């Protein structure tokens, strides 16, 4: 029997736990294009869920990985390695942070942030100061702690008992935070733009208000920038455009351009609570991941790339504005930079997935953010011509759904 997509998708159902339901089997990627195992081409506006900030197989990233792969893969954290220290040096230079903790994923970076916030409160205040305020609709990962801190019931139902001391407030409602925050609060955690929850921007006023409330109650402000970070919104991190500096920031997704790596960034004063033995990871900070992340940081953190993000967003904005002149299907674009959310209007609400599936047929990959929102998170350096070609394909998909 020939091993085509049907074979592999059947095999997938047979041997993989049923947590996912993929429709295609991808073989190869280059820049903003992918090919499935039958050779069909797709333009990639999904970016591996905001992971591929510099596209697939960027030559400089491949070169870094190959070079490091021939030199040193792993030593454990009992010993140090150069790529990790160099990366931490560069990342702290580029941000508010003075020290970082390295992990393998976004959930683990958040797990570290939440544990650190509690430990810091115990060290500097008292054991009662352990409550965490988070927001409805938020997403922070799939470990039991992060899924509980996440504000979407469906992701944690059936996994109890869950960790306690977590309070949910309404996003962009400062009054609600004011009512819920107290001297018992050790941290408030928020996404500058809720990604999985529907691409919903925190207003600058809200973020600034939360910052003030945290200061008044000596609580730490944690920004989960796993999705918004590493250039996605047009600055290295979203906080840099919001007039707010968090105490702890978490980063992953685009950090490794597909190589699994996460980071928790903070100040020396706060990091001091993570003394030897309090927290750790076998793979976190391994030379392969940190060498790659160092190269990705060099590629992304330049004025040309960051300004290019805005230019590309305009192309997407114009595309949907033009489509709307024919029929009002799409609401105003949400998100920032190349984290774009396009809400569906009226009768099209709830049908985001239909657009995704139709896109695949036309050779373009997009994302959804819940049932009502189309999401696009392409490479930050997607050539403008490629972006236009991808949107042209998506237009054909839209016409088919609407017909
Ligand atoms: C994707 C995501 C996470 C989880 O990251 P993983 O690497 O899948 O663990 C956490 N927070 C936000 C905001 C995310 O978008």
């Amino acid at each position: 029997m020939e091993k085509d997509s049907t074979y592999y998708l059947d095999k997938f159902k047979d041997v993989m736990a049923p947590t996912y339901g993929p429709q295609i089997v991808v073989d190869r990627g280059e820049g903003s294009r992918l090919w499935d195992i039958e050779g069909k081409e797709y333009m990639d506006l999904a970016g591996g869920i905001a992971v591929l900030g510099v596209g697939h197989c960027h030559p400089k990233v491949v070169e870094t990985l190959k070079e490091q792969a021939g030199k040193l893969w792993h030593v454990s954290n009992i010993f140090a390695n150069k790529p990790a220290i160099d990366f931490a040096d560069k990342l702290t230079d580029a941000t508010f942070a003075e020290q970082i903790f390295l992990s393998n994923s976004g959930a683990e970076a958040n797990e570290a942030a939440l544990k650190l916030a509690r430990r810091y409160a115990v060290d500097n205040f008292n054991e009662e100061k352990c409550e965490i305020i988070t927001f409805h609709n938020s997403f922070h990962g799939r470990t039991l702690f992060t899924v509980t801190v996440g504000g979407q019931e469906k992701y944690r139902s059936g996994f109890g008992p869950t960790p306690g001391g977590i309070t949910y407030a309404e996003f962009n409602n400062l009054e609600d935070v004011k009512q819920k925050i107290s001297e018992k609060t050790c941290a408030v955690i928020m996404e500058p733009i809720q990604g999985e929850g529907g691409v919903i921007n925190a207003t600058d006023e809200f973020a600034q208000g939360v910052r003030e409330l945290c200061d008044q109650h000596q609580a730490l402000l944690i920004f989960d920038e796993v999705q918004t970070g590493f250039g996605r919104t047009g600055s290295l991190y979203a906080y840099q455009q919001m007039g707010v500096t968090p105490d702890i920031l978490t980063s992953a997704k685009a950090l490794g351009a597909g190589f699994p790596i996460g980071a928790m960034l903070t100040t020396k004063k706060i990091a001091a609570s993570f003394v030897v033995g309090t927290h750790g990871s076998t793979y976190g900070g391994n030379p392969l991941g940190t060498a790659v992340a160092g190269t990705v940081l060099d590629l992304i953190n330049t004025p040309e790339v960051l300004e290019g993000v805005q230019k590309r967003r305009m192309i997407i904005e114009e595309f949907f504005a033009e489509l709307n002149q024919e029929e009002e299907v799409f609401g105003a674009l949400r998100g920032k930079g190349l984290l774009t959310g396009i809400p569906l209007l009226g009768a099209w609400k709830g049908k985001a997935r239909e657009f995704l599936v139709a896109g695949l047929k036309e050779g373009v990959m997009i994302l959804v953010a819940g049932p009502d929102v189309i999401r696009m998170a392409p490479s930050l350096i997607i050539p403008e011509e490629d972006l236009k070609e991808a949107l042209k394909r998506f237009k054909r998909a839209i016409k088919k759904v609407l017909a």
Side-chain angles (χ1 to χ4, degrees):
M1 187 180 160
E2 203 193 328
K3 292 185 176 174
D4 58 3
S5 288
T6 311
Y7 169 87
Y8 277 107
L9 290 172
D10 284 348
K11 209 46 159 174
F12 183 100
K13 285 198 187 119
D14 190 28
V15 297
M16 303 285 267
T19 45
Y20 305 105
Q23 312 221 339
I24 61 177
V25 187
V26 180
D27 184 45
R28 192 165 68 81
E30 192 185 317
S32 286
R33 286 182 161 77
L34 286 168
W35 290 268
D36 71 11
I37 57 172
E38 267 111 31
K40 177 173 172 175
E41 182 198 86
Y42 299 87
M43 307 291 304
D44 187 5
L45 299 182
I49 318 189
V51 166
L52 296 149
V54 291
H56 297 275
C57 299
H58 189 288
K60 289 227 168 79
V61 180
V62 172
E63 188 190 308
T64 299
L65 184 64
K66 278 188 174 162
E67 199 182 291
Q68 190 58 46
K71 203 169 172 189
L72 182 71
W73 289 37
H74 179 80
V75 286
S76 92
N77 286 304
I78 296 166
F79 312 103
N81 72 79
K82 239 169 32 178
I85 299 165
D86 287 339
F87 173 61
D89 198 22
K90 268 196 281 203
L91 191 58
T92 50
D93 274 351
T95 59
F96 76 95
E98 296 163 331
Q99 294 191 327
I100 71 171
F101 175 84
L102 289 159
S103 66
N104 310 293
S105 67
E108 285 172 281
N110 283 330
E111 188 86 18
L114 296 164
K115 283 178 71 179
L116 177 59
R118 283 200 171 156
R119 189 73 182 219
Y120 177 80
V122 169
D123 287 351
N124 293 279
F125 302 96
N126 55 65
E127 300 215 342
E128 242 102 89
K129 195 173 177 66
C130 64
E131 288 178 8
I132 292 158
I133 293 179
T134 180
F135 295 97
H136 290 298
N137 231 19
S138 62
F139 183 80
H140 299 295
R142 299 285 200 148
T143 66
L144 194 55
F145 197 178
T146 56
V147 92
T148 307
V149 168
Q152 299 185 59
E153 172 70 36
K154 64 176 187 228
Y155 290 137
R156 63 174 177 275
S157 84
F159 295 121
T162 52
I166 297 160
T167 304
Y168 305 89
E170 200 185 315
F171 199 53
N172 279 330
N173 181 343
L174 198 58
E175 204 45 49
D176 197 29
V177 183
K178 206 178 274 178
Q179 307 235 308
K180 286 168 179 165
I181 200 167
S182 74
E183 76 281 2
K184 286 187 180 166
T185 309
C186 70
V188 178
I189 182 167
M190 64 182 278
E191 297 159 88
I193 301 167
Q194 290 189 333
E196 300 306 305
V199 192
I200 297 161
N201 302 39
T203 65
D204 290 355
E205 301 72 50
F206 177 68
Q208 290 160 9
V210 172
R211 174 73 272 178
E212 276 167 33
L213 287 172
C214 283
D215 291 342
Q216 281 164 22
H217 296 88
Q218 296 176 299
L220 300 180
L221 177 60
I222 304 171
F223 263 24
D224 177 348
E225 293 228 31
V226 170
Q227 190 154 160
T228 54
F230 248 51
R232 181 62 38 201
T233 67
S235 49
L236 185 61
Y237 286 102
Y239 84 85
Q240 292 164 326
Q241 295 177 58
M242 297 174 80
V244 174
T245 304
D247 300 297
I248 302 177
L249 181 150
T250 54
S251 189
K253 290 203 164 93
L255 210 58
F259 195 97
I261 178 169
M264 182 207 69
L265 291 68
T266 189
T267 62
K268 280 186 179 160
K269 179 165 181 267
I270 296 165
S273 284
F274 261 179
V275 294
V276 172
T278 46
H279 195 56
S281 164
T282 297
Y283 288 128
N286 72 78
L288 283 177
T290 48
V292 166
T295 297
V296 177
L297 178 57
D298 289 342
L299 288 171
I300 284 178
N301 200 22
T302 68
E304 302 79 64
V305 169
L306 295 175
E307 280 157 23
V309 167
Q310 253 6 56
K311 241 167 104 194
R312 287 163 178 79
R313 185 188 177 89
M314 287 311 298
I315 294 173
I316 300 176
E317 295 230 7
E318 280 161 20
F319 172 80
F320 281 102
E322 205 176 294
L323 274 181
N324 258 0
Q325 289 177 347
E326 297 168 35
E327 192 170 356
E328 282 252 305
V329 180
F330 307 102
L333 245 67
R334 303 204 295 240
K336 237 181 228 172
L338 284 172
L339 179 53
T340 55
I342 305 106
L344 294 164
L345 301 178
W348 299 102
K349 264 192 178 167
K351 295 190 171 156
R353 233 193 116 68
E354 285 185 32
F355 289 89
L356 184 151
V357 173
L360 287 180
K361 290 218 175 79
E362 297 299 326
V364 57
M365 286 171 177
I366 61 147
L367 293 167
V368 300
D372 305 329
V373 181
I374 289 169
R375 177 171 40 152
M376 293 180 180
S379 159
L380 310 181
I381 56 170
I382 182 172
E384 289 178 33
E385 287 317 303
D386 283 5
L387 180 55
K388 285 176 186 160
E389 166 63 21
L391 292 171
K392 204 189 278 173
R393 292 184 192 185
F394 193 50
K395 185 171 178 177
R396 288 204 294 270
I398 290 167
K399 296 276 177 209
K400 284 200 177 145
V401 175
L402 299 191

